[in-house]
Amino acid sequence: YHYVLDTLGAYVVAVMAARDPDQEVKVRWRTDQALSIAASQRLAHTVGANDVFVRLVAAARHDPTAQLATWWGERYCKAVLGEVVRPDGLGVWHEAGSSVTFCLEYDRGSEPLGRLAAKAADYTRLEAAWGVAFWVLVVVPGPRRERGARAALSGEGLAVATTTQDGARRPTGAVWAPHDGDDTRLRLIDLATWPRPAASAARLAGAR
């Protein structure tokens, strides 16, 4: 089952998110738009991408040193970064005094790998303009697709790490394979100290 909020639920969420509990909240909400989510062809993709972030939130509840400090959804990423690239999500994960910023690409295997390669070029533009040392985390259906995705993303010198959908069920664990790490699998927070590709470091050094 998939549940969507109705008007009352939207008001509850808005009140919970408000910094001032006495401030009047306004909600732009249409039930037909909310219900259209259930009929969307992208529902499985949206649920899969959001699940990665939800599992990070859940993991942080069991670790006082950990926090998902930032979670931008797909629509917000489009609004803020869409002129350059459109990630399926963006996050900042804190753990034990370190932090890692990442853009998520959730690949269900339904599109040609050339689309990932094109996105890699867009991510280099974002890196050069933004100056933030982010990782591109790619989730794919299985090992065969993972090998193909790694090959498609190899040409731009990005800080890329991949895992399968099974691995993404434990997103804080040692499931992320850096592109230049052979068969090494790292914990999410360990990406913060993993050496970046030379091309990525050069773009960050010259970022506007």
Side-chain angles (χ1 to χ4, degrees), residues 104-190:
L104 178 69
E105 288 293 330
Y106 193 87
D107 171 41
R108 298 187 65 242
S110 58
E111 295 180 336
L113 288 171
R115 186 175 175 87
L116 264 183
K119 266 199 162 183
D122 293 337
Y123 276 116
T124 63
R125 293 171 54 214
L126 178 64
E127 195 171 50
W130 195 14
V132 173
F134 62 87
W135 281 79
V136 180
L137 301 185
V138 184
V139 178
V140 295
R144 181 177 179 181
R145 183 72 173 185
E146 186 175 18
R147 290 191 293 272
R150 292 170 72 81
L153 293 166
S154 62
E156 301 292 344
L158 283 170
V160 173
T162 60
T163 192
T164 63
Q165 289 178 6
D166 284 341
R169 295 192 178 105
R170 299 176 289 108
T172 63
V175 300
W176 300 103
H179 190 272
D180 56 352
D182 297 324
D183 294 327
T184 302
R185 296 277 175 177
L186 299 177
R187 298 181 70 248
L188 177 59
I189 198 60
D190 292 339

Side-chain angles (χ1 to χ4, degrees), residues 51-66:
D51 186 63
V52 176
F53 290 92
V54 171
R55 289 177 184 272
L56 289 173
V57 172
R61 290 179 176 174
H62 300 283
D63 184 349
T65 73

Side-chain angles (χ1 to χ4, degrees), residues 62-113:
H62 300 283
D63 184 349
T65 73
Q67 179 191 18
L68 181 62
T70 300
W71 172 5
W72 291 1
E74 183 178 9
R75 285 198 302 176
Y76 192 73
C77 285
K78 179 181 177 181
V80 177
L81 307 174
E83 292 187 6
V84 182
V85 68
R86 297 181 180 181
D88 296 321
L90 181 147
V92 179
W93 176 251
H94 295 322
E95 186 178 336
S98 296
S99 65
V100 59
T101 301
F102 63 89
C103 294
L104 178 69
E105 288 293 330
Y106 193 87
D107 171 41
R108 298 187 65 242
S110 58
E111 295 180 336
L113 288 171

